[in-house]
Structures are given as C-alpha cells and as structure tokens.
Amino acid sequence: MFRKILIANRGEIAVRILRACRELGIQTVSVYSEVDRTSLHVLLADEAYLIGPAASRESYLRIDKLMDVAKKSGCDALHPGYGFLAENAALPRACTDAGITFIGPSAEAMEAMGSKTAGKQLARRANVPTVPGTSDPIENPEDAQALAQNMGYPVLLKAIAGGGGKGMRVVPSDAAFRSAWRDAASEALNAFGDPRVFLEKYLIGPRHIEIQILADAHGRCVSLGERECSVQRRHQKVVEEAPSPVVTPELRRKMGDAAVRLGRAGGYVNAGTVEFLVDADLNFYFLEVNTRLQVEHPVTEQVTGLDLVKLQIAIAAGHRLPFAWETITPRGHAMEVRLYAEDPDNSFFPSPGKIISFRAPTGPGIRIDDGVYEGWTVPMDYDPLLSKLIAWGNSREETIARLRRALDEYTITGIRTNVSLFRRILTEPEFLRGEIRTTWLDEMLARPYPPAAPPRPGTEEAALIAAALWHSAQSNASAPGGTEPQPAPSPWKMEGRRQQMDHLP
Amino acid sequence: MFRKILIANRGEIAVRILRACRELGIQTVSVYSEVDRTSLHVLLADEAYLIGPAASRESYLRIDKLMDVAKKSGCDALHPGYGFLAENAALPRACTDAGITFIGPSAEAMEAMGSKTAGKQLARRANVPTVPGTSDPIENPEDAQALAQNMGYPVLLKAIAGGGGKGMRVVPSDAAFRSAWRDAASEALNAFGDPRVFLEKYLIGPRHIEIQILADAHGRCVSLGERECSVQRRHQKVVEEAPSPVVTPELRRKMGDAAVRLGRAGGYVNAGTVEFLVDADLNFYFLEVNTRLQVEHPVTEQVTGLDLVKLQIAIAAGHRLPFAWETITPRGHAMEVRLYAEDPDNSFFPSPGKIISFRAPTGPGIRIDDGVYEGWTVPMDYDPLLSKLIAWGNSREETIARLRRALDEYTITGIRTNVSLFRRILTEPEFLRGEIRTTWLDEMLARPYPPAAPPRPGTEEAALIAAALWHSAQSNASAPGGTEPQPAPSPWKMEGRRQQMDHLP
Amino acid sequence: MKFEIQLTGPGVKRKHVVRLERNGDACSSVAIDGEAIDANAVQIAPNAISVMLGGQSFEIHVSRSVNGALKLHCGAHEFSADIIDPRAWRGRKHGPVEVEGRQEILAPMPGKVVRLLAAVGDAVEAGQGLVVVEAMKMQNEIRSPKSGKLERLLVREGQNVNAGEALAWVE
Amino acid sequence: MKFEIQLTGPGVKRKHVVRLERNGDACSSVAIDGEAIDANAVQIAPNAISVMLGGQSFEIHVSRSVNGALKLHCGAHEFSADIIDPRAWRGRKHGPVEVEGRQEILAPMPGKVVRLLAAVGDAVEAGQGLVVVEAMKMQNEIRSPKSGKLERLLVREGQNVNAGEALAWVE
C-alpha cells in the first residue's frame, strides 16, 4: 500500500480523497493556490504546499509544480480527483516518468476511451450500442434520405466539421428532409468551409443514465450498477440518484455488461463511468466514457456500501477486486444534490464570498461531502460547488423525504446557494414520479414559478420581529461601547472580498 | 397516520424524533424548560411550549403539563424518547385518559417487563435463560452450599432486602462458602434488619449484549439482531456496536428467538430491548427489558437500514410491520460513541458552558445524531450527552478507522468533551480484537496512561506560534480601537454561565 | 424601541410599525402596528434569531443584501425588509435610495469586468446586456432594467468589482 | 512582536521566546528562541489557527483554561501555554500566579455547592474531599491537592459557582 498520496485537486473532492487516505493510514499532501491557503483541503491534510496564484493554469493545472511537490514531499502516488487534470493523459505520463503511481487509468486507456470520437469507435468495436447513424459524411441527399427513412424520424443532421450547434438540424419528418439538408449543408459551408454532413437518430427526451465500472490490473472488471443523472441545468448535472426509477434488473444487467465489455476492450483499469442516453423505449446508446471518479460517485457508494476512493487506491496499489459483479447487491435508494454558491433567484449568478454562518444537517440517512466551513471565504476563481448533500433511504420516497428534511435544516448566510432550486425540484410531480429527462429541468425553469405555498401564519410577524431585533443588535454593536456579540458587519465582508480580489491576476 | 406529535423530551433524542416526524410529514410540538429556550429541539420544532423551570421534576417530569400542552396544541400522539418519563407507566395511562396515542408499549406491558424482578419472572415463564440461582431466600447454609456446588463456583450471595452492595459477597470456592454466608447474612441483618440471602451464579467478565425487538399490534414480533454494549464506564454504556464481535449466526438466532418469546409473553407492542449478559462460553442470561427506544438504536439502524423511530410511529398508528425476521439482513458494521460534555483528563467532571466553536465531521460512513450547535450554552441541569457519533463500514476495521478519522475532525471549544477517551479506546489492542467485557473500560481507566505517541515533529513549534498569534489578536481586540474579529472573551462565557445559574432553584 | 419596517415577500409588501423591548440578546413585549402580541425572540447566532409566536417556533436567518436591505430567510420563504431606525431619524442624511427615473445598476456578485457591451450615451433597451462580469468560471451578463440612455459607466474592462458596487447608470 | 511563552505538554515544559510579525489575521516571519523558521499562520475562526510549518499543516484550537493559561489542542495532543506579553511588562502588576505553599482550590466546572466536607481550621490530607459540587446530575468531590490546613472556605452550601471560581485555600 502507498505511504503518502498527493491530492492534485481542491474543494470537496480533495477532502473526500483525504478522508479515504486517513482511514487507510496513508499520509496526505495537498496543494493550494494563493486564495486557497485556508481551504478545508489544506487544513485537513498532513502536508500542504503552495503551487501558485489563483488562476488554475498557473497552479492546479501545472503538472511540473505537482511533480515538484510530489518529489519534495516523498509521495509515492497521486490522486487527480475530477476536473482540472483528471482526464489529461499528460498527468499519468508525468507520474510514470517521476516514478509515482497515478491513481486512475493508464494514459493509453484515457486516450482510447476519453475522447468522444475515440470512445465511440471503441464502443462500436465492443458491440456497445451507439446512437444509430453514420459517422462518415454522406455524399448525396438521396442516400441520406433513404437512410433516414430506414432509421425512422426524427433524425439529426450534423456538420462533419461542426461544433456549437452550427450546421445542425433536427428533421421531424420525411417531408422536411430535403430543405433541412440544404440548410444544414449551406450553414456548414458558411461556418466551416465544409458542407459535408452526417446523420444520427434524434432521441426524443432521452435520459442520462451511467454505469459505474471498476477494473483491477488482474483482469477483473465489474459494474456497480447505474446512476440516473437526467436532472441537468444546461448540460450540468444537479441531482443524481441510484438506482434509476426506470431501470429494470434486466436492463441493469444489459447496460452493465455493455459497460464492462467496453472497459475490457479499452484495457481499462481503475474506476470509470460509461455514460448512456436511454430513450423512452429503454433502448440505451453509448454517449461517452469518463475516465475518472465522478462528482456523483457517492450515490453508488450509498447503495452498494463500497468506498470507491479506497477501491481506486487499492486497485492502483495492484490489489485484486475482492468481489464479483454478482455479489454486489444494491440496497435502498440514494440521491445527491449539488449545493452551489449561486443564486437561483437571480439568473444563477455565482455568489462567492465569506460564509458568515453555516449549519449543516445531520441525522439518519444523511451524508455530506463538504469542502467549506463557517468563516471561510469562497473564492471566486473556481467552480462554485460547495458541498454535496446525499440522502439514503429504504425507498425513493423515503430518500426524497430525507433530502427535503435536510435541505430545510441546511442554513448558510453570507453567500447565496441553490438550495431553493432543490426545494422546488423535490416537490415537482414529474420528478416525484421519476418522469425526468435531460431537458426536464431547463423546461421546468422556463415555466413560470408555480404560486408558492403561502408561509404558515405568523411568518410575516416573525420576520418583522427578527428584523427589528437584529437591526437593533447591529446598531448597538457598532455604537461605541456596544456590548453585543459582534456579527461580522457587511463592510468586513466587503473588505474580505476586496483582499481576495487583489490576488487576482 | 398521526397529524401532530408531542415530543416529551429534550436534547439529541428529541431532535432525532423530530426529524423522523418531519420526514413523515407529521407536525411536531416540543416542550422546554426555562434553560432550554434556545435548544436545538426547540428551534427545529414547528411548535414549542415552555413547561417550567430547569429542574426536571418541575418541567420534563410533569405529566400534567405535558397533557396540557398536548391538548392545547392538538397533538394526537406523544413520543417519550428515552429517560425522563419514558418508562413510567403513568405516562401511557395519562395519554389514554387524554385520548392521545402513546408511542411505546402499553402501561401493562411496561409494568410486566420493565422492572427487574417482574422481567425476571416473565423470562422464566417464557423459558428465557436467566442467571442461575434462586430468587427466594434459602433458609439454611447446607442447602445453599449444595446448590452452589451444583451450580459451580464462583457464586454470588445477595441479600433479599439488599441494595447498594450491602449484604453481597462473591464466593470464589467451596472452602470460602461458610464464612461468606455468615458475613453476608450478618451484614444484611445490620443493614436491613433482615438476614435472608439468596444465591446466584457469578458471571466472570460477562459481556453486555442486547437484542432489539419490534412488535406490532397484529401479533408480529421480530428481532433486529444484537448490539454489543460491553464498553461501559461505571455501568454507563459509552461505545456500542452491531454486530457483536462474538455473536455467531447461531447465537444470534437463539438470542433473537429468546427475546421475541419474551416480548410475546409480555404482550409487548412497539420497540423494545432485551438485555443479556453473555459469559465467556457464550451462554446468555436475561438481564432486563428496556421498554423504550435506546440511546444506541442508531447502530441497529445503520446495519439494518431501518428507521426505528418511524417504525415506532407506524406501529403506534396501528400499521403492520412490513417485514419478517428472516428478511432482515444486517449489512456491514456500525459503531457509536457517546460524546459527553465531561473532561476525561479531570475525573470526568461535567463541563457545561457555551460552545464557542464547533465543527462536526461528515463524509462517507459518518452519521451524527446531534443536539447542540455553535453558540449554544450547554446547560448544567441535564445529562451531559451532546451528540452521538456513529460510523458505518464494510467491516469492523473500516468502521473503527472511520470513527477515528471522524474523531480527529471533531472540534469543539468552550467546553470539554470526552473525545480523547474514545481516541484511547479505539487504539487499545484488546478493543481492536473485540475482547471486551463490562468491566473492561473501568479496568483500562485504572491502568496508568500508556506513554502517548509523541506528537509529530513541529507540533510544539506550531502550538507556540498559535499561542502567540491568538494572544496578540485577543489583545488587539480588547484594546480600544482593535479591529480584529472578536473571539468571545472568557468573561462573556463566565457571564453566560452566571446568568444560567440564576435560573437554578 | 420602535421601528418602521417595509416588509416585502411572497405576495406581501406593507409597512409596519414594530415596537419591542430588548433585554440583552432577547426581546419580549412586542407590538406590531400598535397591537400587543404574544411573542419573544432571542438571537441564537450572529445571523440567526429564534422567534416564538404563540407556540409557533420560527428560526430566521438574517443577512444584508447588496442594496442594504435585510434579507430574512424563514425556511423556504424569504422576505426583504427596509428599516427606518428611530435613532437614524435624528440627523439622518438620506432615506432608502429610491432614485426616480435613473436606475443604478449594481454588481450582483463580486467578479471581474471582462467586457463592456454598450458605451456612454448609447440608447439601451430593457434587458439589453451592459456589462459582462466573470466569476467562478462563468460569464454573467448584467442587463439594463429599463429602456433609456446609458448615462454613466462606472467600471472599465479588467476591473475587479465587489457585490453591490455600482456598474452603470441608466437614465 | 515578542512573546515569552511557557509551554507545557506531553513530556514538555520549557520557556520559549517567540517573535512574529502580524499582518491582519495572519503572521509570517517567525522566529523561535532567536532562530528564524519557515512558518506562516492564519486565524481561520475565532478560536482556531492554521499553522504551516515547512509543508506540515497544523490546525490548532485555542481556548482559555480556568486558571487563565491557554489550552492548545492539536489533534489528539494538548498543550498549555502561559504567555508573558511584552506590553504587559510595562506596569504589570503580577506574574503568573505561583503562590508558594498556599494552594487555591478552583471549581473545575460550574455548578452548585451541595456539601462542605471540612471546616476552616481542619487538618486535611492530600486527596481528601473538601467540597461537593453538583452539575449535570453528577456530584463531584473537589479534593485537596496537598496535606495541610484548610485556611479559608470561600463558598457556602447551596451557592452556585462558576468554573475557575476559588472554593477554598489550603495552607
């Protein structure tokens, strides 16, 4: 087993990895940028080293600095977390050169599976269903239309050279095919100087369901079941759960087999996730592979009882997986919400700043993977993920009830969070019935807010009394000779932010 | 289902019950004494009513006041928690008179099973093993000695009228019998005016292992398996775990059957615990029944996935238990430590006072059932239990590793806690091997402290720097015109305590 | 003590007069709009107050919004309060800012101005982007609340701004 | 700034001179006993300080014990520190209390005096109970730290006491 692990990340995932190391008796080394000196992952680590200014490209993305820290502190392994360099094949290569074990797949497996196109080719070779269509351009519209008829409408036309939605057209019916083809091709020509398009089946309201796999270096590759991640805002997952409300044991087995087949075909070792789109008829299509730990890995941990980070470390140390796929029996239901420092009532604007007060829910069935504490200033330089709130229950209903209870107990002041978004999602009838798809949340947010349940009688009066009492305490405290406990005043917060801004390039 | 439940308790257990109610969509009513106005169980409840001064006998033990609150607030059920009135048959009787459902056993079952003597008689009738011996006095020493020889030494002589250890003698061998008999009888005569004694098998180093049962009103009674509670300081449990390190599936079945037999014999309905002593040969002997929820119920919840408080409520509402004993499959290992406001380095003196700062551990496998928050003043009037820290893991080893990790993260200032006691217990080789018995902790504490592992290099320097920085910040803050954030100074804490003292009778 | 409070919330916008007697961290003896009510309140943390109203328990978290008003969170509900302090009546310089016609555009979060989308003197539409502020890897367009003329731009590209800092005026 | 600190801990009791330069909540430029060391420290909460020493990260929680010394918790380890403040040197009235011979018995926790076990003038043994203080349903006997004479009793039965309050003197 390793003696000391470098955690090449920050925030909640760095803390998560650090906790696993501590439980395994492994020393931890954190790295930090100038604005992260007081971050939780620095406080909890055994050792921590400054690696540069706030901007990621000058700190958390600097492989050379990471290698310097690893060597100087005597680390024998490195965990990349997610984001930053986690899917950059240059990092495992640098680790190999430095004689440090990278906790993740090999550079080769990362490249073979990580990119969308390489992954799709591998999927075809491994006989894993992909979205029907061509990946080569089609020369003439007649062939294309025949193919579309064959495939069934709607279909999607996509520019070969495409990106950002240019040269893309949804074709709802055969009648619309010819004009859509002309539009797509001419738009593609204008945008990329290349008119060629190809054809894909257009999935209506698909779900995003992914399979967690684990593979050791001794040829065992297992599926730990699925996660349902269809609740997304602008392609960003915000609620994840396991099991999926629609996956049957039969489908679970089929998707798990496909994911394992893909993992084997790519020579994959360590933890990885195979993402699928699932249509209304429960057909599944390969989307991409994430060659790393996912943000939402805790929901799989809660239903399987496994600790994925510890297993990643054990696999990297050359251990054999101690179980077969058949022995993994998910229990109950788990759901995660991602708490962000952003204001759902104000266009989801980011809300960095000093956390004035913070009380996190606890009790039965509640887990928090956190990266923040009271008094800490959330820097404006990174992803706004504060913590993940994860609930477990015997049923989906109990899990949702626990999550709602926990959200009601979660209080934080000084910054805004998206807690109210989850309060709303967790009462939407469609969500409660599990009728969700990747477009569902954006559609929900586009609808006018339903009239809120009126606050219970007395709330208004209580608010008035609180406002008056707080205001008078504030005035007393700021008056000379005031004896009240001094709530951090607004100017102080402002100053904290200003100091932090001064660190910016 | 109930509409509104009165929680006739305070502290962590009141919060625990309140959370279950909230998850079930049931309104909650708390009660509080004058020193509990800002306690967590008051803040989190929907409604809360003052029921008297700090002294329990004038507040939490006043059945009349509880009934007043229940009626005035329209409660249809009452949960007693543990302690206070939880095992007082007058409470279910008063509830019945007031037309309120008591969430617990009937007054009759409480009386038939709750007292040590009644419970023991019932156990004999139900063919549940009790400690061998007589409960009737033995007239002459010859008969007694014959019985003792039959039973095997050591035996215990106990005064019929006894209590407090008077008139009690352990007899190690046959040779010592006659003189021990004389001593016990004459001591009993002097102490109680009654020389009669009876005889019991003296168990050497027994374990305390208990079985959680659940019984509904429709005749189903099931065992949820055992909890090992042998780590006790002066007969007070401080660490509990499930499963027990020594209980085999065969023994689990036998103990579970015995507990269920006892529950049926007593007409028991709701959650209850049958406590056993288990000797070195794994013979088990009935000790007593706790006719209520136990402090340590979370370890059973963590391994079974069940929510005992919700099940208590469902049973009281007349629901059928949705499972049979055979379907309950414990998973992994759970362990609880009881965090008390007491100073293990200073004779375990209580340490009430204001919580200046507080950071609780979270992350995988950690649950906290808490009753405190930062800024709250722990009153000196009640039990010093602050919170329960519960860890779950795939194995006993992983659970202990998680608990140690969590204890390292647990920080609280302003009051002392017994965290260091658990740090020590969780590294004792005997504990790690599971070789514990009810006398183990007292014996450990009687031994000199083992030489502590030296702090890692630099700790001393870091402490010096922290002391200097903190001291200078303090001085600045107290100086006129100081601009530092103001840590609550010691006089403030003193004043808080003094104010609180003024409430005392 | 007497406070005049303008309370804004879900379906509520009213001015009230609150009278209370403070006693250290707590208060009892409360009257709202002249009517005595059975309530007591106590500050349980720098930014949290427990209010007991009859038997109803409320926990209210208080913070200051960028425009200086108080934000009051009560479970899922949120109110905003503008307070006119009796002591502030003596020698107070200005009431709550309520500029007629001219709108001051404030930064809703701290960040860095990465782009100006309009120039001083431009006619702007309601909803038109004026300034792009970047924070936490996101670019956020700050839009004009009304149609009119961009009267002043108070920031330049590359400048760091605090939450609540004025960015521009639209007349 | 310069501090003379008496540090007591597991196997440690030494006096050190610590020099540091404060910069708001933080400090850098640290020297201990005249030797400059690679360290920086920052106050992360009212009672918590993060110290980075070389690459080693320490989080230290500070509180004041009943006798006025600082208690420093560093993970499982605990130190006690008596500080002689340079500013206190000017016009300071007394050093750390270290009364020769006479021992002042302090209440280790707040509570209520429920029983006096000795009377003024009594000869007492080391370890003999002097006063019983009740708190949290527990009665706690406060014992004499030395053999001698009970010189003064500063509390009466039924009286409430604070942590750190003097209960008695043994000469």
Side-chain angles (χ1 to χ4, degrees), chain D residues 45-73:
Chain D
N47 282 51
I49 288 168
S50 164
V51 179
M52 205 66 79
L53 198 80
Q56 300 289 317
S57 176
F58 297 90
E59 187 177 337
I60 295 183
H61 292 260
V62 187
S63 57
R64 224 178 253 291
S65 68
V66 290
N67 64 9
L70 296 189
K71 282 187 297 193
L72 302 155
H73 288 264

Side-chain angles (χ1 to χ4, degrees), chain A residues 14-233:
Chain A
V15 172
R16 167 72 187 88
I17 296 162
L18 200 148
R19 284 175 166 150
C21 291
R22 188 142 297 171
E23 292 170 16
L24 291 170
I26 298 171
Q27 295 283 104
T28 51
V29 177
S30 283
V31 290
Y32 61 99
S33 75
E34 282 167 6
V35 295
D36 270 336
R37 167 65 182 85
T38 59
S39 292
L40 198 54
H41 77 284
V42 175
L43 302 183
L44 291 179
D46 293 309
E47 297 173 47
Y49 296 91
L50 179 67
I51 52 164
S56 310
R57 66 183 177 282
E58 298 182 55
S59 49
Y60 296 107
L61 294 175
R62 286 282 296 268
I63 294 178
D64 55 339
K65 291 187 176 177
L66 293 173
M67 291 302 112
D68 284 350
V69 169
K71 284 176 209 162
K72 146 169 94 176
S73 60
C75 289
D76 45 5
L78 178 149
H79 197 304
Y82 55 70
F84 292 126
L85 294 163
E87 291 177 284
N88 186 331
L91 183 59
R93 290 216 168 86
C95 286
T96 307
D97 291 348
I100 294 160
T101 305
F102 178 78
I103 300 170
S106 65
E108 294 69 34
M110 227 182 236
E111 282 165 344
M113 302 179 78
S115 92
K116 273 193 202 214
T117 49
K120 205 163 180 178
Q121 284 162 10
L122 189 68
R124 292 210 172 114
R125 285 209 307 278
N127 201 21
V128 171
T130 56
V131 177
T134 62
S135 54
D136 298 323
I138 308 171
E139 291 303 322
N140 70 68
E142 289 76 22
D143 293 353
Q145 191 163 7
L147 208 61
Q149 286 161 354
N150 214 12
M151 195 178 279
Y153 287 94
V155 299
L156 188 66
L157 295 173
K158 272 184 182 173
I160 281 284
K166 296 272 184 209
M168 190 184 287
R169 282 290 182 285
V170 177
V171 192
S173 66
D174 202 48
F177 190 88
R178 286 302 177 99
S179 71
W181 176 273
R182 272 193 306 273
D183 290 354
S186 72
E187 197 172 283
L189 181 65
N190 290 337
F192 316 110
D194 178 351
R196 292 176 303 161
V197 294
F198 69 97
L199 198 62
E200 255 185 13
K201 174 80 181 156
Y202 180 71
L203 300 180
I204 301 171
R207 290 169 178 265
H208 175 120
I209 300 177
E210 61 191 26
I211 298 284
Q212 174 72 52
I213 62 168
L214 274 183
D216 67 20
H218 307 277
R220 174 166 275 172
C221 181
V222 299
S223 156
L224 303 186
E226 85 282 4
R227 291 185 290 260
E228 163 81 60
C229 310
S230 300
V231 179
Q232 303 182 356
R233 195 177 79 81

Side-chain angles (χ1 to χ4, degrees), chain B residues 274-316:
Chain B
V274 183
E275 298 188 328
F276 295 98
L277 291 178
V278 177
D279 69 16
D281 299 323
L282 297 184
N283 299 303
F284 61 93
Y285 306 98
F286 170 79
L287 187 62
E288 66 180 83
V289 179
N290 289 140
T291 58
R292 52 162 168 89
L293 193 67
Q294 302 273 82
V295 177
E296 60 271 24
H297 75 276
V299 298
T300 299
E301 294 185 324
Q302 294 309 105
V303 296
T304 60
L306 300 172
D307 186 316
L308 290 183
V309 177
K310 286 185 192 163
L311 287 166
Q312 284 193 297
I313 294 171
I315 288 170

Side-chain angles (χ1 to χ4, degrees), chain A residues 19 305 310 394 398 409, chain B residues 19 305 310 394 398 402 409:
Chain A
R19 284 175 166 150
K310 287 185 191 164
N394 274 292
E398 185 177 50
E409 288 180 25
Chain B
R19 284 174 166 150
K310 286 185 192 163
N394 274 292
E398 185 177 48
R402 283 188 165 157
E409 288 181 25

